[in-house]
Amino acid sequence: MTSSLDDHTPTATAAPAVQARHLVKRYGDLEVLRDVSLEVPEGSVTSIIGASGSGKSTLLRCLNLLERPDQGDLAIADEAIRFDRNPQGDVVGLDRRQLQRLRAKVSMVFQQFNLWPHFSVLGNVIEPPMRVQGLSRRRATEVAEHYLARVGMADKRDAYPAFLSGGQQQRVAIARALAMEPRLLLFDEPTSALDPERVNEVLGVIRGLADEGRTMVLVTHEMAFAREVSDQVVFLDRGVIGVAGTPEEVFDDPRCQRFAAPAA
Ligand code: ADP
Ligand code: MG
């Protein structure tokens, strides 16, 4: 299954939502991603699992262009970028407008919610579409109300983040990500900072998005959940893809069994 990531066989469907080929990311001498290739079909869910420090967050941040890969090719929907270095060692292939177009297709939800504390719930959700997409306040408010209802937070629109539980804050963060109408949603351990009794309300929202056919890449330690919602699971092992395939293929593979026990 791992080799199929490099397979060029055409499929009946449209271009994949994400096509990453031979991504390399270094921090100084530390090679955090070593030749990572990943394809995410439109409308599918991919979970990334692996030990702490294996490069999961770095991979997500590269997909979002929060980090720039040192080498490799990345295409999100129909926007493709090649990363490389010139003989002077500078990263080349970075057209700012293209970066902006690519970033606009991707929204990310973080472990620590990252809501703006001085904005209300509604303010948090309308701000990015107003600032980045130039939506009017009225239109952004309509969009925000739609997605706040979608995550069950419509009645908290005037509350401030400090007065919300972690689970509620994360649901607002998901509404904020959705309000950008992204082609791709990234989640980096979205339930890891939550009290145990708050985990399910967030997983329930993510499950609903999966059922809607949203394209998502999820880093998670919730193995039972990953098994349930994922079309594809990728086991990242010290910066390389150790195993990739269906949940059954990956969770039953001895190379990642110690991560794959549902109780882990
Ligand atoms: P994971 O999310 O799987 O725990 P990360 O992608 O956060 O792993 O980190 C992978 C490796 O890269 C770790 O060794 C981490 O210390 C290192 N790393 C991550 N971000 C940076 C950074 N900004 N500068 C230097 N090293 C980093
Ligand atoms: Mg991480």
Side-chain angles (χ1 to χ4, degrees):
M1 215 26 216
T2 317
S3 61
S4 73
L5 294 169
D6 268 336
D7 193 340
H8 292 263
T9 311
T11 58
T13 53
V18 179
Q19 193 153 44
R21 287 192 189 282
H22 308 300
L23 290 186
V24 173
K25 176 65 190 176
R26 300 184 192 92
Y27 295 113
D29 290 340
L30 183 65
E31 199 163 65
V32 177
L33 297 180
R34 302 182 282 150
D35 197 6
V36 169
S37 295
L38 174 70
E39 195 167 290
V40 179
E42 196 78 52
S44 73
V45 178
T46 295
S47 291
I48 301 174
I49 63 170
S52 178
S54 57
K56 305 181 299 297
S57 294
T58 302
L59 176 55
L60 280 195
R61 294 167 64 84
C62 283
L63 296 183
N64 203 14
L65 275 304
L66 284 172
E67 295 286 355
R68 289 167 189 188
D70 293 291
Q71 265 169 258
D73 292 286
L74 178 63
I76 307 286
D78 50 2
E79 199 74 53
I81 302 191
R82 167 158 291 178
F83 298 93
D84 213 339
R85 289 186 183 264
N86 63 20
Q88 288 74 45
D90 309 312
V91 177
V92 297
L94 299 174
D95 168 343
R96 262 193 50 221
R97 295 195 158 192
Q98 196 185 18
L99 276 180
Q100 279 169 0
R101 288 200 301 272
L102 204 145
R103 283 208 183 102
K105 296 177 193 290
V106 187
S107 287
M108 184 143 158
V109 174
F110 300 88
Q111 183 175 336
Q112 295 294 344
F113 333 130
N114 297 4
L115 297 181
W116 293 297
H118 54 291
F119 282 147
S120 69
V121 161
L122 184 68
N124 267 276
V125 182
I126 65 174
E127 194 65 21
M130 284 182 1
R131 228 188 261 185
V132 179
Q133 297 174 334
L135 258 56
S136 67
R137 179 171 294 270
R138 175 193 293 227
R139 177 68 192 131
T141 301
E142 285 170 7
V143 172
E145 284 173 341
H146 172 77
Y147 287 114
L148 284 171
R150 179 73 191 68
V151 301
M153 290 297 292
D155 59 331
K156 297 285 187 193
R157 52 172 273 169
D158 297 319
Y160 280 78
F163 295 92
L164 302 177
S165 71
Q168 290 174 321
Q169 290 187 57
Q170 193 61 302
R171 287 188 283 145
V172 173
I174 293 172
R176 180 175 62 177
L178 290 169
M180 295 296 283
E181 312 274 12
R183 295 287 291 274
L184 173 67
L185 264 175
L186 307 177
F187 293 86
D188 195 355
E189 302 198 32
T191 61
S192 294
L194 301 180
D195 295 332
E197 67 271 23
R198 291 290 183 175
V199 167
N200 278 334
E201 70 189 51
V202 171
L203 294 183
V205 169
I206 298 172
R207 183 184 291 115
L209 297 172
D211 291 344
E212 266 176 24
R214 297 245 175 207
T215 311
M216 306 196 282
V217 179
L218 174 73
V219 172
T220 186
H221 294 293
E222 297 286 338
M223 294 302 158
F225 183 72
R227 189 184 271 263
E228 174 201 331
V229 301
S230 305
D231 300 288
Q232 168 177 238
V233 177
V234 170
F235 171 56
L236 202 58
D237 184 13
R238 286 161 291 184
V240 297
I241 293 184
V243 194
T246 65
E248 291 70 28
E249 285 168 332
V250 174
F251 287 118
D252 295 342
D253 189 296
R255 285 171 287 176
C256 56
Q257 289 254 297
R258 76 194 153 103
F259 296 100

